[in-house]
Amino acid sequence: MALTEEQRERIRINRERALEVKKRKAEERAKALSVGGGGAIDDGGGVSPFGDHGNGVASSAGVAKALSTPAETREKCDGIGRGDGGTLDDLEDWEVGASAHVTKEEAMRKYCLPQGTLAVCSYVEKPNPRNKGWTPMRLYERADIRRRARERFGGLEGLVEERRKRDRKRFANDMKETKDVFKRRKS
């Protein structure tokens, strides 16, 4: 179904308006961060847009949401404590703005940690959001999981290389399993 010219114009106008609002909010948050000295600001809803968890310290996740790009986030937030003693430069791009907790599956896939290592990590149990009757979710602290993964693989570069190696191995196994999918079977 093709869009009419009127519909396309409405889409364009709405898109421009949304981008203006997004830009204005990002500027307001960045300004509030620079004026407020890095503290968290309550937006009236009781939840701080800067990730204040009741302790008066802005978390990296909240600050990252307030700024538009990973580079801008690193530039503005360098040196803000995250509880693990590092800086935002230590984070991979996909980690900027991520929650403070990580699921078991994500810890194993993204941080390449085996179940044995996760067994000795501290975690918080929360009811399973998919079904209350199922086993509770275990949420591990991202900073602890990140630290253990980097110790295990020799830093950020070693972890990234291990992840790539596992992705290549997974791809090779998938190709091996599906190599005969399109071959005709002789009846």
Side-chain angles (χ1 to χ4, degrees):
M1 180 171 111
L3 296 174
T4 66
E5 197 59 41
E6 180 182 326
Q7 290 171 327
R8 286 185 182 148
E9 182 63 19
R10 283 181 51 204
I11 290 171
R12 185 187 63 77
I13 291 169
N14 287 341
R15 182 182 297 131
E16 288 175 0
R17 188 179 315 140
L19 290 173
E20 286 174 18
V21 168
K22 182 178 178 182
K23 183 179 177 183
R24 187 176 63 242
K25 284 185 179 182
E27 288 172 355
E28 288 172 1
R29 289 177 181 152
K31 183 179 177 184
L33 181 62
S34 65
V35 171
I41 297 172
D42 191 355
D43 64 355
V47 177
S48 169
F50 295 106
D52 180 20
H53 298 290
N55 57 7
V57 177
S59 73
S60 63
V63 171
K65 289 176 189 171
L67 303 170
S68 59
T69 64
E72 184 179 357
T73 302
R74 285 194 180 103
E75 178 182 305
K76 295 269 187 187
C77 304
D78 193 25
I80 291 179
R82 295 188 332 265
D84 62 356
T87 63
L88 287 175
D89 288 331
D90 297 339
L91 298 179
E92 295 182 63
D93 286 340
W94 58 268
E95 287 181 301
V96 174
S99 71
H101 292 92
V102 59
T103 63
K104 181 178 178 179
E105 181 181 341
E106 186 179 2
M108 292 176 68
R109 172 121 355 187
K110 296 269 189 180
Y111 294 99
C112 304
L113 291 176
Q115 287 185 6
T117 301
L118 295 177
V120 297
C121 294
S122 61
Y123 59 87
V124 176
E125 280 192 350
K126 298 224 175 180
N128 195 310
R130 294 182 182 233
N131 187 335
K132 301 292 182 200
W134 292 352
T135 305
M137 271 192 327
R138 289 184 176 181
L139 298 174
Y140 300 90
E141 286 189 38
R142 187 176 298 273
D144 183 38
I145 296 296
R146 182 186 311 115
R147 180 185 56 79
R148 289 179 186 268
R150 291 187 182 176
E151 283 176 7
R152 182 180 185 96
F153 298 109
L156 176 61
E157 292 79 19
L159 174 60
V160 169
E161 184 55 39
E162 178 68 20
R163 193 179 307 129
R164 285 186 189 135
K165 183 177 110 180
R166 290 181 184 204
D167 285 342
R168 285 191 299 265
K169 184 177 179 181
R170 195 175 301 119
F171 179 75
N173 285 340
D174 289 347
M175 291 299 288
K176 183 179 171 185
E177 288 178 10
T178 60
K179 70 178 183 179
D180 296 331
V181 162
F182 295 109
K183 286 189 176 178
R184 284 191 156 163
R185 294 183 184 180
K186 295 179 183 178
S187 318

